[in-house]
Amino acid sequence: MRLAEGDVRAVLGELGLAAGADVSVRPLAAGAYHEHAILEVGGRDLVLRRCVRSQWGLPAREQLARERATLTQLAPTGVAPAPVALVGEAPGGPLLVEELVAGRPFASARDLPALGRAIALVHALRPGHLPEVNAREALLADGGQWLDRARRGGAPAASVALLRDLGRRAADGAAPGPASLVHTDLNAGNILVTASGACRLLDWEAARVADPAWDLAHAVSPTTTRVGPR
């Protein structure tokens, strides 16, 4: 993410720091929905997040405000980045400021117990600011989109139809659990492991209230368990 001088001034002002404070900016990989940068100021490393596309169809400021509210709810658990500020009037667009989480990449089966403990803390919460979603229908719709892409890419129609039917049958046979806060995107890229061995969960833009099995299924899927060292 490119930060203009005015963006940095806006962040410093929100933090109560002088415009001439000694700062440095480092790039950070962007995701599908957000751009990122690291701002080092006053001995602190802060992550700046700018929403480029909301999964909920929300204006950028409203999307980031929702994420900040989620991080605030999660703060007592220690499993997510600590929210610092929401800069609503930055020249390049609103910015969410978070504390940088230090850690190593998730390492598959070795870290699954720690991930389970982190998920349990998340699922003990049910924040009122997030919409409640039918997990079964949401996952079937998402899976259907992937199958449609596969079909357009040349996958055999019979195979796509079989997978679609199997997904519907599995969903119809599942009894929903009590709804709670869910992350919904627990792939290995959204998990860091601290020096103490605890898991920290990143990128909460798609969080919602739904069946906690959503997170559990994602946590043991190949996108999580087969990435990184064993």
Side-chain angles (χ1 to χ4, degrees):
M1 174 172 63
R2 291 179 177 270
L3 284 177
E5 185 177 339
D7 292 320
V8 175
R9 284 200 304 268
V11 172
L12 293 177
E14 189 69 30
L15 298 178
L17 300 173
D22 186 22
V23 302
S24 66
V25 178
R26 309 195 304 272
L28 190 62
Y33 299 94
H34 290 68
E35 296 176 332
H36 307 95
I38 297 176
L39 179 71
E40 184 178 354
V41 56
R44 299 171 73 187
D45 283 337
L46 304 173
V47 173
L48 308 183
R49 286 169 60 85
R50 174 169 283 150
C51 177
V52 295
R53 182 161 60 99
S54 168
Q55 294 187 55
W56 299 99
L58 299 173
R61 182 169 182 167
E62 189 174 341
Q63 171 66 39
L64 293 176
R66 178 178 285 187
E67 294 176 35
R68 184 189 189 190
T70 301
L71 294 178
T72 300
Q73 289 269 327
L74 285 161
T77 70
V79 302
V84 176
L86 176 60
V87 185
E89 304 300 329
L95 292 164
L96 179 60
V97 185
E98 306 172 358
E99 295 283 357
L100 177 69
V101 175
R104 61 169 172 80
F106 183 79
S108 189
R110 180 176 50 161
D111 294 321
L112 277 176
L115 178 58
R117 290 189 289 271
I119 293 174
L121 293 172
V122 172
H123 291 170
L125 302 175
R126 182 171 176 153
H129 69 282
L130 292 173
E132 184 168 348
V133 174
N134 184 309
R136 183 184 69 174
E137 295 305 319
L139 290 171
L140 283 172
D142 187 53
Q145 291 177 7
W146 283 101
L147 289 173
D148 289 342
R149 293 174 193 163
R151 182 69 187 95
R152 291 194 298 269
S159 297
V160 171
L162 175 61
L163 289 172
R164 200 183 302 273
D165 181 59
L166 289 173
R168 171 59 69 178
R169 291 187 186 191
D172 287 346
S180 70
L181 174 63
V182 291
H183 182 285
T184 77
D185 194 17
L186 289 177
N187 65 73
N190 287 336
I191 306 167
L192 287 177
V193 183
T194 68
S196 67
C199 283
R200 298 290 181 262
L201 312 180
L202 313 178
D203 292 353
W204 288 85
E205 65 263 23
R208 60 203 74 186
V209 173
D211 187 337
W214 190 331
D215 280 344
L216 299 177
H218 209 159
V220 297
S221 73
T223 60
T224 298
T225 59
R226 296 182 187 174
V227 174
R230 298 296 192 273

